[in-house]
Amino acid sequence: MNKTSVLFVCLGNICRSPLAEGIFRDLVEKKGEADKYIIESSGTGTWHIGQPPHPESIQIAKEYGIDISSQKARHLADEDFFNFDYIIAMDQSNLNDINDRLISLKGEKAPECFCLRQHDPEKKSEQDISVPDPYYEGGFDGVFKMIERSLEEWLKI
Ligand code: 4NP
């Protein structure tokens, strides 16, 4: 069986995309479909490579019964563009960086790249498609719920 591979991407890979990775894994596990997916996350920036998620991301996930503490931040790699079916950005700036890399790589097989919140049933406009940095806007609980409801909606497709 061919697995569907999904890579979540943010800037640092310590706040938002580790949550998306953990929440998505939890959602598909609850559906009994975990073995159908390869799920990872990465960052467009290099500052936090090798580090665990931000303590507040670990804490909010734990409050919802999800353990993301063993994740380690990594940089978005060229191979990711060949190995993943979906590259899902947390915000528009991440998506711009992803698309720039995609164009420069000119791969034969391109992943589908989009902003997660395009699927947010509570987005306020077509421009309202970014998951904010929870440290500055939205808070970790708000960002958790935003990611969760967007992923639930995407999984319905
Ligand atoms: P993230 O948040 O992209 O959701 O992981 C950030 C974490 C760290 C930095 C930027 C964003 N940083 O500049 O170090």
Side-chain angles (χ1 to χ4, degrees), residues 3-8 20-21 24-25 36-41 74 83-88 114 151 154:
K3 295 194 181 201
T4 301
S5 49
V6 184
L7 179 68
F8 297 100
E21 178 185 336
F24 189 69
R25 186 170 290 117
K36 291 187 184 171
Y37 293 91
I38 292 165
I39 307 163
E40 293 184 24
S41 66
R74 72 166 178 85
N83 293 338
F84 283 87
D85 300 312
Y86 296 95
I87 297 186
I88 305 182
F114 59 90
L151 286 172
W154 182 53

Side-chain angles (χ1 to χ4, degrees), residues 135-146:
Y135 217 79
Y136 300 103
E137 195 190 332
F140 284 78
D141 192 57
V143 160
F144 183 100
K145 290 183 178 134
M146 187 180 266

Side-chain angles (χ1 to χ4, degrees), residues 9-18 43-44 47-48 54 57 90-91 94 131-136:
V9 176
C10 62
L11 181 56
N13 194 208
I14 57 166
C15 293
R16 295 166 293 172
S17 60
T44 58
W47 308 283
H48 300 285
H54 190 283
S57 283
M90 293 299 110
D91 66 29
N94 308 145
V131 178
D133 182 334
Y135 217 79
Y136 300 103

Side-chain angles (χ1 to χ4, degrees), residues 29-97:
E29 273 171 7
K30 282 179 182 149
K31 282 160 63 95
E33 296 182 354
D35 58 344
K36 291 187 184 171
Y37 293 91
I38 292 165
I39 307 163
E40 293 184 24
S41 66
S42 72
T44 58
T46 55
W47 308 283
H48 300 285
I49 290 171
Q51 293 178 9
H54 190 283
E56 291 191 57
S57 283
I58 292 177
Q59 180 58 32
I60 196 67
K62 193 175 167 196
E63 285 172 25
Y64 286 95
I66 301 172
D67 182 6
I68 63 166
S69 62
S70 62
Q71 291 186 33
K72 292 275 178 288
R74 72 166 178 85
H75 191 215
L76 177 64
D78 288 350
E79 306 86 78
D80 292 330
F81 290 87
F82 303 100
N83 293 338
F84 283 87
D85 300 312
Y86 296 95
I87 297 186
I88 305 182
M90 293 299 110
D91 66 29
Q92 186 64 56
S93 164
N94 308 145
L95 186 61
N96 294 345
D97 289 342

